[in-house]
Amino acid sequence: MDALYDVVVTINSYLSNYVLLFLLVGTGLFFTIRTRGVQFRCFAEGFRRMFGGFSLKGGKQAGGISSFQALATAVAAQVGTGNIVGACGAILLGGPGAIFWMWIIALLGMATNYAEAVLAQETREVDGEGNVHGGPVYYIRRAFTGTGGKFLAGFFAVAIILALGFMGCMVQSNSIASTMNTAFGIPTWIMGVIIVALGGFVFIGGVSRIASVTEKVVPIMAIIYILGGIAVLIANWQNVGPAIALIFQCAFNPAAEVGGMTFGIIAAITQGAKRGLFSNEAGMGSTPHAHALANVAEPHDQGVVAMIGVFIDTIVVVTVTALVVISVLFVGDGAIAQGYAAAVDGGIDKTNMAQIAFGSLLGEFGGNAFVAICLLMFAFSTIISWNLFARLNVEYLFGKKGVLGFTIIALVFIFLGSILSNDLVWELADMFNQLMVLPNAIALIALSGFVAKTAKAHNGKRKSPEELEIEANIIAAKSAAAVQEAEVREVSGIK
């Protein structure tokens, strides 16, 4: 384990410091420029479309899922341990300034996520049973024909299966088991069994059950967590201003000091970039799988909705975590403000920082319980979404016959994640997450012309009732056409 850990850490240091940082920022800047700042021009449109399709009971959709269900499934994947444990880890290793760079990654990532959703919609396919398939492997094949395209698509499919289907879900189950053990004393292996049982039930139901679960869990879990965070900030209102100031100070000061510990700009940027990727997943190639399934009139419609997922994940949820932790632990008489080394030696780490911070208002047990319950909802919803994304790539590589075997192996990994070393699990997840970015980003840039054309054709203005009615008719026609095509294929015996 120690030898493996050292190797993975070395690989990650090269990927994050020399590849990931420039690739993520560069891709985000590239699409921000090419789309003329679509994340700013069409921000209001994205919110209108999100709330226009809001529902806690979207129902089963013909040939796909609703736009809101797709967003909920994507946000379920984005909002997970990265928003609590990941954000705390970025702050602990890179200083409060890491949060500023997570914001920057998110703002640029909104344009990248728009591109991913637009291309996923444009290249999606419908099979003989009326099921919709889409995601990076399809637009990678569109971008690069021949052997090169097949190789890149296959590389991505293998990477995402390992990154999300196996290693990523280990991170989520590890964090659930750890926090539930801290809060309630539940043995990690028992928590692992519970997660496996719940996950198996949802996995068996397929896309419709996953969408049905996420559209209910995601809004509820986000509201509960945000309200809890606001309550802590109100109780510590005098520290909120200094906490915000500390974020900016540590983001640009190469010798920013907190509790006797100096946090440099490079550490803040690299930690912010790495945890920003793991948190909002823009450019990673995961959420396009959900957005490809949405029934919308045109690709742009889901693109602007996809942007809001990144905003909710980082600008809202991560910020709540950061302000709570920094205002309680890093400012005034906070434990870390009084001495970084002593606080870390005393047991403060990325897995319990949020619990300690919320405990300042709710008490030790209350803080532990609140974070544990929120993290359970966050991480479990991420597990089921990531399993879906990985399974779609298993089907791409091996057909439906490979799904059962994948599901069994994935459940084994989920259980193992609950009992394995936290640091090793996180490093493995980081490595495979970063590897999947490479073919996805290359394909996005290769197809940027279509994305730019799509974005420039829209100005984000509110549409008239007549235009909205036309859109609704187009969506209904597409769904009906998908069902009719499936029925024709079934009658004709076409596979």
Side-chain angles (χ1 to χ4, degrees):
M1 286 292 184
D2 290 340
L4 176 60
Y5 177 79
D6 291 339
V7 170
V8 174
V9 167
T10 301
I11 295 173
N12 282 342
S13 67
Y14 281 99
L15 287 173
S16 61
N17 295 338
Y18 301 107
V19 179
L20 179 64
L21 175 62
F22 297 101
L23 187 60
L24 279 177
V25 174
T27 303
L29 279 171
F30 178 75
F31 278 107
T32 297
I33 294 170
R34 288 226 63 182
T35 62
R36 298 187 301 182
V38 67
Q39 69 267 52
F40 307 113
R41 291 190 298 107
C42 299
F43 182 79
E45 180 188 355
F47 259 99
R48 289 197 299 269
R49 289 191 176 279
M50 180 187 73
F51 286 111
F54 177 82
S55 173
L56 294 180
K57 49 180 181 178
K60 188 173 181 179
Q61 305 291 311
I65 58 179
S66 71
S67 179
F68 179 76
Q69 285 178 326
L71 176 65
T73 303
V75 172
Q78 292 166 312
V79 178
T81 58
N83 298 78
I84 301 179
V85 181
C88 290
I91 296 170
L92 195 64
L93 297 176
I99 298 302
F100 173 83
W101 296 107
M102 288 184 76
W103 292 339
I104 297 301
I105 290 293
L107 290 175
L108 296 176
M110 289 172 69
T112 306
N113 211 205
Y114 171 86
E116 290 179 303
V118 165
L119 291 176
Q121 275 284 320
E122 174 64 18
T123 59
R124 72 180 199 163
E125 299 177 359
V126 180
D127 65 19
E129 298 175 357
N131 299 313
V132 178
H133 301 275
V137 291
Y138 294 92
Y139 59 70
I140 289 172
R141 292 289 299 275
R142 174 77 64 87
F144 306 103
T145 58
T147 304
K150 290 181 180 179
F151 170 78
L152 287 175
F155 180 87
F156 176 88
V158 171
I160 196 172
I161 291 168
L162 293 173
L164 304 188
F166 299 150
M167 302 302 172
C169 287
M170 288 178 72
V171 168
Q172 306 298 327
S173 63
N174 185 283
S175 297
I176 293 173
S178 176
T179 53
M180 294 299 282
N181 178 260
T182 300
F184 305 109
I186 301 174
T188 55
W189 72 269
I190 291 181
M191 202 64 227
V193 171
I194 294 173
I195 300 168
V196 167
L198 292 174
F201 170 74
V202 178
F203 297 164
I204 293 173
V207 174
S208 59
R209 183 174 296 174
I210 290 173
S212 178
V213 171
T214 57
E215 72 178 346
K216 297 174 179 63
V217 172
V218 168
I220 294 172
M221 74 183 189
I223 291 171
I224 291 174
Y225 186 72
I226 291 170
L227 290 177
I230 291 174
V232 174
L233 294 177
I234 291 174
N236 295 274
W237 63 269
Q238 71 279 8
N239 290 341
V240 175
I244 295 173
L246 192 60
I247 291 175
F248 286 92
Q249 177 188 346
C250 292
F252 298 102
N253 188 344
E257 184 176 304
V258 179
M261 175 71 173
T262 300
F263 294 100
I265 293 178
I266 298 301
I269 294 176
T270 55
Q271 287 298 319
K274 185 162 64 174
R275 293 306 171 200
L277 167 66
F278 187 82
S279 176
N280 64 56
E281 302 185 23
M284 196 167 75
S286 56
T287 58
H289 296 90
H291 295 301
L293 304 179
N295 289 323
V296 291
E298 54 183 309
H300 170 82
D301 299 343
Q302 195 61 26
V304 294
V305 171
M307 299 187 314
I308 304 304
V310 177
F311 181 86
I312 292 172
D313 171 87
T314 304
I315 308 301
V316 177
V317 180
V318 165
T319 300
V320 169
T321 299
L323 291 179
V324 167
V325 167
I326 295 171
S327 64
V328 173
L329 298 177
F330 284 76
V331 175
D333 60 353
I336 292 178
Q338 297 303 310
Y340 180 91
V344 173
D345 292 341
I348 292 181
D349 60 31
K350 64 186 179 185
T351 62
N352 63 14
M353 284 175 66
Q355 291 174 312
I356 294 171
F358 277 96
S360 66
L361 175 65
L362 305 174
E364 181 179 357
F365 175 78
N368 290 343
F370 179 79
V371 174
I373 292 172
C374 288
L375 191 59
L376 172 63
M377 291 190 293
F378 282 11
F380 181 72
S381 65
T382 298
I383 286 174
I384 60 178
S385 292
W386 280 0
N387 180 270
L388 170 63
F389 302 161
R391 184 174 65 188
L392 292 173
N393 285 274
V394 169
E395 288 189 32
Y396 171 79
L397 291 175
F398 308 108
K400 292 185 177 181
K401 62 180 180 297
V403 172
L404 178 60
F406 161 74
T407 301
I408 294 172
I409 297 173
L411 291 173
V412 171
F413 270 79
I414 289 172
F415 176 76
L416 291 176
S418 67
I419 59 176
L420 278 180
S421 165
N422 189 36
D423 288 336
L424 176 59
V425 171
W426 274 91
E427 292 295 337
L428 285 169
D430 278 342
M431 183 180 73
F432 288 109
N433 282 337
Q434 292 171 116
L435 287 174
M436 348 168 356
V437 173
L438 302 178
N440 183 62
I442 293 172
L444 290 176
I445 293 172
L447 296 173
S448 60
F450 176 81
V451 177
K453 181 180 178 180
T454 301
K456 290 177 181 178
H458 298 82
N459 54 22
K461 292 183 179 179
R462 188 184 298 273
K463 294 191 175 183
S464 66
E466 292 77 14
E467 290 174 315
L468 292 175
E469 183 179 357
I470 292 173
E471 281 189 4
N473 291 335
I474 292 174
I475 295 171
K478 282 187 174 182
S479 297
V483 172
Q484 185 177 21
E485 180 182 357
E487 291 175 348
V488 170
R489 286 177 174 272
E490 184 178 356
V491 172
S492 304
I494 301 174
K495 300 297 182 184

